[in-house]
Tab-separated table of all heavy atoms in Angstrom:
chain	number	residue	atom	x	y	z
A	306	ILE	N	-48.942	125.872	28.782
A	306	ILE	CA	-48.451	125.126	27.611
A	306	ILE	C	-49.555	124.128	27.233
A	306	ILE	O	-49.914	123.260	28.038
A	306	ILE	CB	-47.139	124.370	27.934
A	306	ILE	CG1	-46.049	125.312	28.428
A	306	ILE	CG2	-46.698	123.526	26.719
A	306	ILE	CD1	-45.214	126.012	27.404
A	307	ALA	N	-50.043	124.252	26.000
A	307	ALA	CA	-51.236	123.477	25.603
A	307	ALA	C	-51.005	121.977	25.572
A	307	ALA	O	-51.954	121.193	25.621
A	307	ALA	CB	-51.705	123.961	24.232
A	308	SER	N	-49.743	121.558	25.481
A	308	SER	CA	-49.456	120.128	25.339
A	308	SER	C	-48.942	119.492	26.631
A	308	SER	O	-48.492	118.354	26.621
A	308	SER	CB	-48.428	119.936	24.228
A	308	SER	OG	-47.356	120.858	24.392
A	376	SER	N	-44.079	111.839	17.285
A	376	SER	CA	-43.367	111.906	15.999
A	376	SER	C	-42.965	110.518	15.505
A	376	SER	O	-43.249	110.163	14.357
A	376	SER	CB	-42.150	112.831	16.104
A	376	SER	OG	-42.592	114.143	16.349
A	403	HIS	N	-48.524	119.788	12.277
A	403	HIS	CA	-47.329	119.352	13.003
A	403	HIS	C	-46.218	119.050	11.995
A	403	HIS	O	-46.503	118.771	10.827
A	403	HIS	CB	-47.655	118.086	13.820
A	403	HIS	CG	-46.542	117.673	14.742
A	403	HIS	ND1	-45.791	116.545	14.539
A	403	HIS	CD2	-46.069	118.255	15.873
A	403	HIS	CE1	-44.895	116.444	15.513
A	403	HIS	NE2	-45.041	117.469	16.330
A	452	PHE	N	-53.957	118.282	14.649
A	452	PHE	CA	-53.259	119.566	14.772
A	452	PHE	C	-52.438	119.636	16.052
A	452	PHE	O	-52.581	118.790	16.946
A	452	PHE	CB	-54.291	120.694	14.782
A	452	PHE	CG	-55.331	120.538	15.861
A	452	PHE	CD1	-55.033	120.867	17.169
A	452	PHE	CD2	-56.591	120.035	15.584
A	452	PHE	CE1	-55.975	120.712	18.179
A	452	PHE	CE2	-57.546	119.879	16.583
A	452	PHE	CZ	-57.227	120.218	17.887
A	453	THR	N	-51.608	120.678	16.112
A	453	THR	CA	-50.989	121.031	17.391
A	453	THR	C	-51.375	122.460	17.784
A	453	THR	O	-51.099	122.883	18.894
A	453	THR	CB	-49.443	120.956	17.339
A	453	THR	OG1	-48.989	121.879	16.360
A	453	THR	CG2	-48.955	119.572	17.016
A	481	HIS	N	-53.483	116.090	20.672
A	481	HIS	CA	-53.876	117.206	21.533
A	481	HIS	C	-55.209	116.978	22.225
A	481	HIS	O	-55.370	117.301	23.397
A	481	HIS	CB	-53.900	118.524	20.736
A	481	HIS	CG	-52.637	119.294	20.927
A	481	HIS	ND1	-52.478	120.235	21.906
A	481	HIS	CD2	-51.452	119.212	20.292
A	481	HIS	CE1	-51.256	120.714	21.861
A	481	HIS	NE2	-50.611	120.113	20.891
A	507	LYS	N	-50.725	114.596	26.851
A	507	LYS	CA	-51.293	115.944	26.747
A	507	LYS	C	-52.632	115.955	27.501
A	507	LYS	O	-52.644	115.772	28.715
A	507	LYS	CB	-51.422	116.337	25.278
A	507	LYS	CG	-50.057	116.378	24.568
A	507	LYS	CD	-50.159	116.846	23.141
A	507	LYS	CE	-48.800	117.012	22.496
A	507	LYS	NZ	-48.300	115.788	21.859
A	625	ASN	N	-46.039	129.055	25.005
A	625	ASN	CA	-45.034	128.964	23.934
A	625	ASN	C	-45.405	129.898	22.785
A	625	ASN	O	-46.582	130.112	22.490
A	625	ASN	CB	-44.828	127.521	23.446
A	625	ASN	CG	-46.017	126.926	22.743
A	625	ASN	OD1	-46.881	126.324	23.379
A	625	ASN	ND2	-46.080	127.088	21.432
A	643	ARG	N	-49.363	130.303	21.864
A	643	ARG	CA	-50.380	129.263	22.003
A	643	ARG	C	-50.635	129.048	23.496
A	643	ARG	O	-49.696	128.990	24.285
A	643	ARG	CB	-49.859	127.978	21.359
A	643	ARG	CG	-50.866	126.855	21.285
A	643	ARG	CD	-50.232	125.580	20.738
A	643	ARG	NE	-49.217	125.052	21.649
A	643	ARG	CZ	-48.722	123.820	21.596
A	643	ARG	NH1	-49.132	122.990	20.664
A	643	ARG	NH2	-47.803	123.421	22.455
B	268	DSN	N1	-44.565	119.548	20.960
B	268	DSN	C1	-45.934	119.120	20.795
B	268	DSN	C2	-46.865	120.243	21.077
B	268	DSN	O1	-46.520	121.062	21.901
B	268	DSN	O2	-47.941	120.324	20.510
B	268	DSN	C3	-46.193	118.500	19.479
B	268	DSN	O3	-45.129	117.678	19.116
Side-chain angles (χ1 to χ4, degrees):
I306 303 275
S308 47
S376 295
H403 188 250
F452 56 78
T453 61
H481 262 269
K507 298 184 174 89
N625 67 271
R643 187 185 66 164

